[in-house]
Amino acid sequence: ASISVALGDDDPLVRISAIESLAELGPSADACTRIARLLTGQPPEVIEEAPLALGQLKDKRAIPRLTKMIHGPRAFEAMSFLGDLKATESADALAQVAEAFLKPLLLKAAAATALLRIGDARGAALFRQILQAWRNEARTYCVSVIGELQLHEHVETVIQMLDRPRGAEAKTVVETLHKLAKANERARVVLDGLADHPGVLGALVREVRQRSP
């Protein structure tokens, strides 16, 4: 009840805090409806928080506003939720970001990843193009996506990063290979070969395997 009251508070910061609290409590029809009412007729900072909360709650009413947000300061979060929501209606807007010449590579990678998660045919080629960019501040992110989405077509690229990381963090490379190894013999063999290695990579392999169930 107190959260419901806070949603109507005169202070936008109180409303934002209430929105975040509802999102953390998990999805319910009532919570989603209350948050959806704040998508319009509110100060900009409230209108920005409401679709992110709905995205967290897997409510598709967030999609139109999240799509508008992909050119703003919270674009990365917005694109992640559009991927979660399988927002096919946002695919063209996401492709524009992924294909943009002057956008930061990390944003382009997030857009391509959202396309992959949506199932849009453009996603695979755009993701590969961004992954292989020579100067790439997004490479660690791309490697983590390969593990998360089980993109086995990139296993050799990830293996090469053990010797030539080209900006990718070694821990993320090893963690991704560990995830791929559950269904990929090539990744498993490479990790087995590193497991007893005395160097940093061997230590990372042992650490990752020890942490995994």
Side-chain angles (χ1 to χ4, degrees):
S2 59
I3 295 177
S4 300
V5 171
L7 286 173
D9 194 275
D10 291 338
D11 186 342
L13 293 178
V14 175
R15 272 174 275 168
I16 288 171
S17 179
I19 290 169
E20 292 172 342
S21 296
L22 279 177
E24 289 299 320
L25 288 172
S28 74
D30 181 62
C32 289
T33 298
R34 289 178 184 275
I35 294 171
R37 290 180 187 143
L38 302 177
L39 289 169
T40 57
Q42 297 288 322
E45 60 269 33
V46 176
I47 290 176
E48 187 176 72
E49 200 63 44
L52 295 173
L54 287 176
Q56 185 175 335
L57 296 170
K58 305 293 191 290
D59 190 301
K60 288 184 176 289
R61 284 174 286 190
I63 291 173
R65 184 63 63 178
L66 289 173
T67 304
K68 291 180 180 179
M69 292 172 66
I70 68 174
H71 299 291
R74 300 182 76 175
F76 194 91
E77 292 171 87
M79 289 190 285
S80 177
F81 286 130
L82 287 170
D84 286 346
L85 292 166
K86 312 295 183 194
T88 54
E89 59 266 57
S90 303
D92 287 345
L94 290 164
Q96 286 178 358
V97 174
E99 294 166 351
F101 182 66
L102 295 176
K103 291 281 187 185
L105 274 173
L106 187 58
L107 284 183
K108 287 160 63 78
T113 299
L115 288 170
L116 283 172
R117 294 169 71 193
I118 288 168
D120 188 276
R122 291 167 286 188
L126 287 167
F127 183 85
R128 181 180 296 275
Q129 179 183 333
I130 294 160
L131 173 67
Q132 295 176 345
W134 181 250
R135 292 180 179 273
N136 196 344
E137 70 273 16
R139 205 176 309 280
T140 294
Y141 170 77
C142 288
V143 170
S144 69
V145 169
I146 290 168
E148 177 191 350
L149 300 186
Q150 291 288 294
L151 304 179
H152 289 273
E153 64 270 27
H154 297 295
V155 66
E156 290 300 331
T157 298
V158 178
I159 289 169
Q160 289 169 12
M161 290 179 191
L162 291 168
D163 294 321
R164 298 186 299 280
R166 293 173 59 193
E169 292 179 3
K171 184 177 181 182
T172 303
V173 172
V174 170
E175 287 174 343
T176 290
L177 285 175
H178 179 72
K179 290 175 183 176
L180 295 176
K182 295 172 184 177
N184 190 293
E185 180 71 7
R186 172 77 170 126
R188 187 186 64 76
V189 168
V190 168
L191 287 183
D192 284 347
L194 284 173
D196 296 324
H197 195 278
V200 172
L201 290 175
L204 285 172
V205 172
R206 292 189 293 274
E207 178 190 335
V208 168
R209 286 182 165 179
Q210 191 171 13
R211 280 193 282 111
S212 297

